[in-house]
Amino acid sequence: QDFKETLEVFADTAIQHGAKRLLIDVLEFKHRPSAEVQKFRDEVTVPKYNKAGVKRIAWVWPGNASSNAPANDKEKFENRFFPTEAEALAWVAS
C-alpha cells in the first residue's frame, strides 16, 4: 500500500509542476512491483502522467528491460530503460 501511495504522490507532483520528463530509479526499490501494483499504475498513475503532459519517462533499471514500448495503449509518453542514471538523464534531457 505504501508503494502505491508513493507512486500516486509522484504522479500528483508531475501534475502540480507540469513535468514533461521524469526519471525513475528502480535500483533503490526494495522489491519488485507486483501485478497488483502494475494494475494500479495503469489505472491511476498513467492517467495522471498523461494529464501532466509527460512526454518521456527514463527508467534506471537493473539488468535488461524487455521493451521500450508502452506498457499499455493508454500511455501517451515514451518510456526508455537504462542501466545507469547518467544514460537515463542524458536521454530524458534531450
Side-chain angles (χ1 to χ4, degrees), residues 9-68:
V9 167
F10 187 70
D12 287 337
T13 302
I15 293 170
Q16 180 182 6
H17 294 282
K20 304 299 180 225
R21 298 163 188 214
L22 304 173
L23 184 137
I24 300 172
D25 187 343
V26 181
L27 298 177
E28 298 299 321
F29 288 10
K30 302 297 182 211
H31 65 284
R32 290 290 170 253
S34 66
E36 177 187 344
V37 170
Q38 183 62 42
K39 182 178 180 206
F40 176 84
R41 179 187 179 275
D42 292 346
E43 293 174 355
V44 177
T45 61
V46 166
K48 289 184 180 199
Y49 292 152
N50 291 337
K51 181 178 179 180
V54 171
K55 300 294 180 203
R56 289 183 166 189
I57 299 179
W59 299 80
V60 181
W61 197 270
N64 293 327
S66 60
S67 170
N68 283 322

